[in-house]
Amino acid sequence: MSKGTFLKRGLPVSISLSPTLEAENMKPKIPQSKKRLITVSLMAISVAILISFIAKFLMFIIGFITQLSFYGKVAMTTEANPSLNHLGIWVIFIPAIGGLVVGFMALYGSQAIRGHGIPEAMEQILTNKSKIKPTIVYLKPISSAIAIGTGGPFGAEGPIIATGGALGSTLGQILKISNNERKILLAAGAAAGMATIFGSPVSSIFLAIELLLFEFSPRSIIPVALACITGAAGHHLFFGQGPVFPMESLVSMPGNTALLWYSIMGVILGFVSILATKSVFWIEDLFAKIPISWFWYPAIGGLIAGVIGYFAPRTLGVGYFNITDILTGSLPITLLLSLSILKFLSWTIALGSGTSGGTLAPLLTIGGAAGLLFGMAISYYFPNSGINLPLAALIGMSALFAGASRALLTSIIFAIESTGQSNALLPLLAACSAAYFVSFFFMKYTIMTEKIARKGVKIPESYEPDILEKILVAQVTKSNTMVVHASDKINTVKDLILRDNQHLNYFMVRSEDGEFIGYLSVMDLFGNHSDNQEVGSLITEKNEVFIQDSDNLLTALKLLLKKDKEAIPVKNSKGKYIGLLTYKDILSAYQISQGEFIKTTPSISLKRRGLRILARGNHFIQERKQRHP
């Protein structure tokens, strides 16, 4: 076979490393020293301290604007209830004025203040190397305080989460840190904001894991955990030490019958979460069709929220007191219907208009009211169900949030931390898992991801350990790597490759005494060289880079990237070179391992085992007949 024939048939050429890894979405982890981890952790704690003060300031501003807007008073307080106002029909225009101011700030400040905060933070993590504009640090809390203080049906937690994320990102842009460390600071700031508002450090950590970090490793969990602890300390300092949503008494452990009903409630609330999510973005699409500038959308949404607030005053503002009242199980049915239906309409329309505010408090209010109504209905028609009404309300809160956000662990732990009801763990797990199941199977994106998915951003769906860490080099290295002598002529090696039809990219070169001196690619061999030239002359530098066969593929990949090599020799425990490892080998191992997730071939064949049992039985019978004819 001639050289021309070989080239026509297709010369094996090494693939480029970076495009291949990017195409397979393989992003190798960058090693981080423990000393560096301490530095990042101290940064995270600093961000958490600052966000604790900002959270207190935000609640003061909300209270100040609420007092000024609904009561005409100048007072600095963190507790203000707009539902007790005496403005009459004029209350309709207060949220509209707030929406107008938010539209003005978005137009002349930054459009990033629109929305409830978490999706915007997720987008920056996934598309912009966790870089958030520093102006968001002050524009987001001020715009949210105006929207909520003028009666917007939102929670304060979303804005403070967004502000914490922006603060962490800004610090990460000022200091000399990596993109991954900036992501950790962003997540730490956001989680610390939630911990400061609710005093819930554990659920805040899970929030960061499920919605922001997209990984689970010590390098990210430790800084985030320390930030959440600091944020919880800030909550105790500024807002008190008790549960944010206290319940009158501890709930008892439910029986199996009650647990079944709570699970059914979770299924129903899973569908309600789908309705809530779809409604927000359906209304957002409707606003986009209005032939006026988006600048006016928040004012229109605020006007509608004001109309609803005129008939149902409890739908106005943050309404954390609504959640506490719902959890007592003492509110009348008419008020529960108002909080579940009218609050739903007010929140979806206002949020769909593109104003600034959080989603957690509205979801908790709507879910709590709906859960309590379901509990009342079950208790009425099935008196022996064992339903506890305050627990039904708590389950409704948590299940709706779990279905809408698909932050399962966050929803469960938050309900326990915010109420102190440890006996609620099992029914919460049942109901939230049911809601999560329904949401996962019937809704492609969540209330957190729909907006950024529409922009073409791919959202990670799972957090798995790096497959390459679990595969050893010895499992992949080919023992049949071609080996030639340095004194062999180039034309001799060419003929060997062509004659034996060996489709290889690289081969090893050794000296006459068997010592490994390097490796060459087939491209090197078929370059512009004299056929009588010795193969050893093509090796221009001494090979000093190798890897042990006991190392994993992730270590090998890092070494290939660091040394900018296309292949790397492999040594065994005795110091002997046993072959070559290329990144094509690594990619093949990755693809094979990925296939393990979808392979459905059973490891144990029941049919084959059954046939063996029958054969042994038949053999035993025949032996018995021969012995006892």
Side-chain angles (χ1 to χ4, degrees):
M1 186 183 293
S2 66
K3 176 180 176 181
T5 306
F6 182 81
L7 294 176
K8 273 186 183 179
R9 191 185 64 206
L11 181 67
V13 179
S14 171
I15 52 179
S16 175
L17 177 60
S18 297
T20 303
L21 297 179
E22 291 173 3
E24 294 297 328
N25 196 28
M26 293 170 62
K27 298 179 180 179
K29 299 176 183 176
I30 304 300
Q32 185 183 43
S33 67
K34 294 182 180 180
K35 185 176 179 181
R36 185 62 181 172
L37 180 58
I38 294 174
T39 303
V40 175
S41 297
L42 292 174
M43 294 178 189
I45 292 173
S46 302
V47 171
I49 293 172
L50 291 174
I51 204 63
S52 297
F53 285 95
I54 294 174
K56 182 65 173 180
F57 174 74
L58 174 63
M59 298 306 291
F60 264 130
I61 294 298
I62 291 175
F64 174 80
I65 296 174
T66 301
Q67 290 283 356
L68 185 64
S69 301
F70 291 94
Y71 303 103
K73 298 179 181 179
V74 177
M76 294 296 290
T77 176
T78 57
E79 297 181 4
N81 187 351
S83 66
L84 302 177
N85 72 86
H86 301 286
L87 294 176
I89 199 168
W90 293 105
V91 75
I92 293 174
F93 302 101
I94 302 299
I97 294 172
L100 189 65
V101 175
V102 171
F104 180 85
M105 293 180 67
L107 183 64
Y108 294 101
S110 173
Q111 289 195 46
I113 66 172
R114 304 176 72 198
H116 53 96
I118 296 179
E120 290 74 20
M122 293 173 70
E123 182 179 4
Q124 297 308 310
I125 289 172
L126 295 170
T127 65
N128 196 32
K129 300 179 181 178
S130 303
K131 295 179 181 178
I132 298 177
K133 292 181 179 179
T135 54
I136 302 301
V137 174
Y138 59 88
L139 285 179
K140 186 65 178 181
I142 294 175
S143 64
S144 299
I146 293 171
I148 298 169
T150 54
F154 308 110
E157 69 290 328
I160 199 62
I161 288 173
T163 303
L167 184 63
S169 174
T170 300
L171 180 62
Q173 293 175 68
I174 295 173
L175 302 176
K176 190 175 181 181
I177 64 176
S178 68
N179 295 334
N180 185 73
E181 290 171 339
R182 189 184 305 115
K183 179 189 73 172
I184 293 171
L185 288 182
L186 188 159
M194 179 176 174
T196 304
I197 292 293
F198 292 114
S200 54
V202 180
S203 58
S204 300
I205 295 171
F206 281 112
L207 177 80
I209 293 171
E210 294 185 300
L211 298 180
L212 296 172
L213 285 173
F214 307 112
E215 66 170 284
F216 189 93
S217 62
R219 66 178 180 180
S220 58
I221 297 303
I222 291 174
V224 170
L226 292 174
C228 289
I229 293 169
T230 306
H235 174 85
H236 295 160
L237 177 65
F238 295 127
F239 302 104
Q241 297 185 10
V244 289
F245 305 129
M247 298 174 69
E248 293 181 349
S249 60
L250 288 174
V251 298
S252 58
M253 188 71 70
N256 288 340
T257 303
L259 196 62
L260 175 62
W261 283 111
Y262 292 138
S263 301
I264 294 172
M265 284 176 54
V267 172
I268 296 172
L269 286 163
F271 286 105
V272 175
S273 71
I274 295 174
L275 175 63
T277 303
K278 296 298 183 183
S279 297
V280 168
F281 294 102
W282 178 72
I283 291 170
E284 188 176 288
D285 293 337
L286 285 181
F287 270 103
K289 295 177 182 178
I290 301 176
I292 58 174
S293 172
W294 60 264
F295 164 81
W296 298 99
Y297 295 169
I300 297 172
L303 185 65
I304 298 174
V307 172
I308 296 174
Y310 172 72
F311 294 100
R314 275 185 175 251
T315 62
L316 295 169
V318 175
Y320 288 144
F321 60 89
N322 287 328
I323 299 172
T324 303
D325 290 343
I326 290 171
L327 289 173
T328 63
S330 59
L331 292 180
I333 293 179
T334 53
L335 191 53
L336 291 174
L337 287 171
S338 171
L339 288 175
S340 59
I341 298 175
L342 296 182
K343 180 76 172 183
F344 176 88
L345 292 174
S346 177
W347 166 67
T348 53
I349 293 172
L351 186 62
S353 69
T355 191
S356 181
T359 60
L360 182 55
L363 286 173
L364 296 179
T365 303
I366 298 165
L372 188 53
L373 286 171
F374 289 143
M376 289 179 174
I378 294 169
S379 296
Y380 180 80
Y381 290 105
F382 303 94
N384 297 323
S385 62
I387 291 290
N388 179 285
L389 294 183
L391 181 55
L394 181 61
I395 285 173
M397 290 166 42
S398 190
L400 186 63
F401 180 62
S405 66
R406 289 216 278 271
L408 176 64
L409 299 177
T410 303
S411 305
I412 296 171
I413 303 302
F414 174 80
I416 295 174
E417 282 189 300
S418 61
T419 61
Q421 298 290 342
S422 57
N423 285 342
L425 177 60
L426 185 58
L428 282 169
L429 179 60
C432 291
S433 298
Y436 186 98
F437 180 89
V438 170
S439 172
F440 179 77
F441 276 93
F442 293 97
M443 184 168 63
K444 187 173 184 180
Y445 300 112
T446 70
I447 199 167
M448 304 297 180
T449 60
E450 175 81 23
K451 186 174 182 179
I452 56 179
R454 291 183 174 192
K455 298 179 181 180
V457 178
K458 186 177 179 181
I459 301 99
E461 294 183 350
S462 59
Y463 317 114
E464 300 164 358
D466 198 317
I467 294 174
L468 299 182
E469 283 187 298
K470 301 187 295 182
I471 306 175
L472 299 180
V473 171
Q475 297 175 256
V476 178
T477 303
K478 297 177 180 178
S479 59
N480 61 345
T481 303
M482 180 177 173
V483 181
V484 301
H485 291 285
S487 59
D488 290 340
K489 303 299 182 181
I490 289 179
N491 61 342
T492 304
V493 179
K494 285 181 180 179
D495 292 340
L496 178 63
I497 293 174
L498 296 173
R499 183 178 65 251
D500 294 345
N501 198 24
Q502 296 192 42
H503 294 278
L504 50 85
N505 288 332
Y506 302 94
F507 55 91
M508 299 172 65
V509 181
R510 68 179 184 182
S511 62
E512 293 300 324
D513 56 3
E515 182 183 354
F516 173 80
I517 60 174
Y519 67 91
L520 292 170
S521 71
V522 176
M523 284 294 291
D524 294 332
L525 187 69
F526 281 85
N528 189 18
H529 308 295
S530 171
D531 285 351
N532 292 323
Q533 190 175 344
E534 292 184 351
V535 172
S537 65
L538 300 181
I539 298 177
T540 57
E541 60 181 27
K542 185 179 179 181
N543 180 79
E544 297 179 350
V545 181
F546 64 89
I547 192 164
Q548 296 288 343
D549 61 354
S550 58
D551 290 328
N552 59 47
L553 291 189
L554 183 61
T555 303
L557 181 58
K558 291 175 183 177
L559 191 58
L560 284 169
L561 289 170
K562 182 178 179 180
K563 300 297 183 180
D564 193 23
K565 298 289 184 180
E566 297 178 345
I568 187 169
V570 180
K571 275 186 178 182
N572 60 16
S573 58
K574 298 179 181 179
K576 181 181 178 182
Y577 287 95
I578 59 173
L580 289 173
L581 179 72
T582 69
Y583 44 76
K584 185 176 181 180
D585 298 329
I586 297 175
L587 181 60
S588 298
Y590 174 82
Q591 291 172 329
I592 293 170
S593 298
Q594 285 290 84
E596 296 295 324
F597 288 97
I598 59 175
K599 186 169 64 175
T600 58
T601 304
S603 300
I604 300 175
S605 174
L606 296 178
K607 182 178 178 181
R608 189 179 303 163
R609 283 179 174 265
L611 292 174
R612 286 178 181 175
I613 293 172
L614 290 175
R616 287 176 182 175
N618 183 59
H619 180 70
F620 177 75
I621 292 171
Q622 294 299 326
E623 283 186 345
R624 294 280 295 180
K625 286 181 178 180
Q626 290 176 3
R627 291 176 183 176
H628 307 285

